[in-house]
Amino acid sequence: MIYPIVAYGDPVLRKVAKDITPDYPNLKSVLENMWETMYGASGVGLAAPQVGMPIRIFLVDTSPFGDDPDLTPEEQKELGSFKKAFINAHIIEENGEEWAFNEGCLSIPNVREDVFRHEKVTIRYCDENFNEVTETYTGLMARVIQHEYDHIEGILFTDKISSLKKRLIKGKLSNISKGKVSVDYRMRFPDMKGRK
């Protein structure tokens, strides 16, 4: 089942999400539906708050970067086969040089901005079987994880851009929350309750 993606301006995107237990209701189908929703919207990541659930789950599938000519063959190989669900994730450490990359977000369609993030991230999380794992990621993989992790902390990529850029996109953000945006996937708009 494809969930509608919650648009910018919805309060659920600003909540710090809560950890869940292994007996969370219908967890398996929630994960399946989130994967289906993410692929339906051509995303490389999706967090539960983006489908209206303030819980600490996010998904990452970096396979679309697997044939990016700007990346090294090693990066292409690594990104091309990376697909993972992160449950109850908590970042332990972010370090390394901060670097800029042009980011977008399914909840903020048609808006892209350069965002600075750390080169390396160490994260503790549970996999789909609730095994606890601690791993370190670098480069583009670290960036996608940090972007999705921000969602479960109530942070959006637009919070990380300069105040000048924020002013320049203010009108676009307002239009998104009112549903005045063209997208090819289902969305739920905060200022248009009931519209699908």
Side-chain angles (χ1 to χ4, degrees):
M1 181 182 83
I2 293 182
Y3 297 127
I5 290 174
V6 171
Y8 179 89
D10 193 300
V12 74
L13 295 174
R14 292 306 188 179
K15 287 182 176 156
V16 176
K18 301 270 189 267
D19 281 351
I20 62 168
T21 57
D23 58 359
Y24 185 82
N26 306 315
L27 179 59
K28 192 174 184 302
S29 52
V30 165
L31 289 167
E32 285 168 5
N33 293 340
M34 282 181 65
W35 284 116
E36 194 181 341
T37 301
M38 184 181 94
Y39 293 132
S42 305
V44 294
L46 183 72
Q50 291 181 274
V51 290
M53 292 181 276
I55 54 175
R56 294 184 86 82
I57 295 179
F58 64 85
L59 314 175
V60 172
D61 182 345
T62 55
S63 57
F65 293 113
D67 48 13
D68 187 329
D70 295 336
L71 302 171
T72 66
E74 294 79 21
E75 287 173 315
Q76 287 179 351
K77 187 168 184 276
E78 191 181 26
L79 292 161
S81 61
F82 187 78
K83 175 183 172 177
K84 199 168 275 200
F86 293 77
I87 300 170
N88 296 347
H90 293 274
I91 284 181
I92 297 166
E93 190 177 21
E94 292 174 309
N95 51 26
E97 192 91 11
E98 286 201 4
W99 59 291
F101 189 81
N102 197 255
E103 293 188 18
C105 177
L106 297 177
S107 293
I108 313 174
N110 309 329
V111 173
R112 299 192 67 85
E113 291 293 340
D114 283 348
V115 177
F116 281 87
R117 294 190 189 273
H118 289 283
E119 168 70 22
K120 191 194 272 187
V121 63
T122 301
I123 189 165
R124 185 176 61 242
Y125 67 95
C126 293
D127 65 15
E128 292 182 41
N129 301 311
F130 262 81
N131 299 310
E132 193 173 284
V133 188
T134 300
E135 290 169 333
T136 299
Y137 296 97
T138 57
L140 207 45
M141 210 178 283
R143 170 171 295 275
V144 177
I145 288 167
Q146 288 170 90
H147 176 111
E148 296 310 324
Y149 181 84
D150 277 354
H151 276 299
I152 62 172
E153 290 290 317
I155 298 165
L156 299 171
F157 84 91
T158 48
D159 300 338
K160 296 181 176 282
I161 61 176
S162 70
S163 51
L164 171 64
K165 282 188 173 165
K166 279 182 191 155
R167 282 200 300 277
L168 292 174
I169 63 168
K170 193 176 175 195
K172 273 189 184 176
L173 296 177
S174 173
N175 282 339
I176 290 167
S177 66
K178 291 174 185 155
K180 295 180 184 171
V181 64
S182 174
V183 284
D184 57 4
Y185 50 88
R186 278 178 68 209
M187 290 196 79
R188 189 179 91 203
F189 301 98
D191 295 350
M192 294 189 64
K193 291 293 181 205
R195 174 176 165 165
K196 293 283 184 249

